[in-house]
Amino acid sequence: MSDHEHDRTTPEPAAGPHSVPGPRPAAGGSLRKELPDEVPAPVSAPTPTVEDGGTPPEPPGSDLTGRQRLVKGLWPPRITRAQLIVAVLLFGLGFGLAVQVASNSEGDSALRGARQEDLVRILDELDDRTERLEDEKQGLEKQRDELENSSDQAEEARRQTAEKERQLGILAGTVAAQGPGITLVIEDTKGMVKANMLLDAVQELRAAGAEAIQLDGVRVVAGTYLSDSGNGVSVDGNKITAPYRFKVIGKPQDLEPALNIPGGVVQTLEKEQATASVERSAKIVVDALRPAKQPDYARSSSP
């Protein structure tokens, strides 16, 4: 082949409708790799804005210290819905605890404001009640021992039964009684004393160990009821008016302090512009009687 023939270039085939023109051969018989005219820059994530909940970008050239960055991150605060719900629940819990503590404090305010001699008197009254219960326990144990050791148990049983009947008769109001006690007189010139105040006095006397109570000729027993009746009070259907006179049998050293405790019967009556006077006595006679009522259905279970 001649040099002229080498210099001749073979014609390229015609490009078809789907053909891609290939790279043209470079001078010297080698192919030149062509680069694209523009290389696209990598896409970076968008910077969060303040509206999206992100931190606002710092201005260029700012040089913040660690403390300044901390303050900037905490303020202004960004409160979420969950944090708001937790805050409301904690506030409700704290308010409930505060109300409970306040109610307990009000219940103890009477004793907290009492004088030292009043507290000593209340403590002595509690000691006296404990002593009475211990004496009752010892009496019952003594009766049991007498029944177990007596040679004539039938006679001892009859004697104890008669004694028990007498004691129950006093409590039921069917038997007259006498013994040491107090007399309580309540003057009510303003007409402010109501049935509930007299009932409080009865309950306070019973708690202090009263064994027999008589109110203006009416024997007070377990089933006694009091109600307001015009300008007076009705006791078991019997109307009484001021001055109200209580005759109480019991230990005077226990009965009188029970009426004079702070916030007790005497102070309550004084707030209603009434006066109450208590007098101890070595002999109180309670002679108002109640008829013995035969039960309609209950019967003794003993043979």
Side-chain angles (χ1 to χ4, degrees):
M1 183 178 298
S2 62
D3 296 337
H4 182 72
E5 291 177 355
H6 282 288
D7 294 336
R8 296 180 60 183
T9 304
T10 305
E12 295 180 357
H18 300 288
S19 62
V20 179
R24 295 180 177 273
S30 62
L31 296 178
R32 181 176 59 87
K33 184 178 180 180
E34 296 182 358
L35 295 175
D37 296 338
E38 182 178 355
V39 178
V43 180
S44 59
T47 303
T49 62
V50 178
E51 290 80 2
D52 298 333
T55 304
E58 298 180 359
S62 62
D63 188 9
L64 299 179
T65 63
R67 178 175 298 181
Q68 292 175 341
R69 292 179 182 274
L70 178 61
V71 172
K72 188 175 182 180
L74 295 177
W75 188 265
R78 293 181 292 276
I79 302 176
T80 63
R81 183 177 181 181
Q83 293 173 342
L84 181 61
I85 294 175
V86 171
V88 172
L89 293 177
L90 292 177
F91 174 78
L93 178 60
F95 181 77
L97 292 176
V99 171
Q100 184 176 2
V101 171
S103 62
N104 293 337
S105 300
E106 291 177 359
D108 298 337
S109 59
L111 292 179
R112 289 181 179 177
R115 297 174 300 176
Q116 182 176 1
E117 52 268 25
D118 294 332
L119 295 175
V120 173
R121 186 168 52 189
I122 294 174
L123 182 60
D124 292 339
E125 181 183 351
L126 294 176
D127 293 338
D128 293 337
R129 291 183 184 181
T130 303
E131 184 178 353
R132 289 197 305 271
L133 292 175
E134 187 66 27
D135 293 341
E136 184 178 356
K137 174 186 174 183
Q138 292 178 1
L140 293 175
E141 291 176 348
K142 182 179 179 180
Q143 292 179 8
R144 181 196 62 190
D145 296 338
E146 289 176 352
L147 285 174
E148 292 177 350
N149 301 328
S150 176
S151 58
D152 190 354
Q153 295 185 359
E155 181 64 25
E156 182 63 26
R158 284 192 293 269
R159 186 187 68 81
Q160 291 191 9
T161 300
E163 180 66 20
K164 196 68 175 178
E165 182 181 1
R166 185 184 67 83
Q167 295 175 359
L168 293 177
I170 294 175
L171 297 177
T174 59
V175 177
Q178 67 178 15
I182 64 170
T183 300
L184 169 64
V185 180
I186 299 176
E187 297 283 352
D188 181 26
T189 58
K190 302 292 185 179
M192 301 300 293
V193 176
K194 303 300 180 183
N196 63 318
M197 301 178 187
L198 299 182
L199 180 59
D200 290 341
V202 171
Q203 292 177 340
E204 195 66 45
L205 291 169
R206 283 177 174 170
E211 298 176 352
I213 303 176
Q214 180 175 318
L215 174 56
D216 282 7
V218 181
R219 189 70 170 267
V220 178
V221 294
T224 296
Y225 64 91
L226 292 86
S227 60
D228 296 324
S229 178
N231 59 345
V233 176
S234 177
V235 183
D236 289 339
N238 303 293
K239 184 177 179 179
I240 61 175
T241 57
Y244 305 105
R245 185 182 182 88
F246 287 84
K247 297 168 67 176
V248 187
I249 295 178
K251 188 177 180 181
Q253 294 82 356
D254 295 340
L255 299 176
E256 183 180 2
L259 299 174
N260 291 297
I261 61 176
V265 175
V266 174
Q267 287 191 1
T268 302
L269 292 173
E270 291 176 350
K271 290 180 181 179
E272 299 297 334
Q273 300 181 357
T275 59
S277 60
V278 182
E279 181 182 356
R280 299 186 185 186
S281 178
K283 183 179 180 180
I284 298 291
V285 178
V286 175
D287 51 6
L289 303 179
R290 300 179 68 93
K293 183 180 179 180
Q294 182 68 26
D296 296 329
Y297 304 101
R299 296 293 183 268
S300 176
S301 60
S302 59

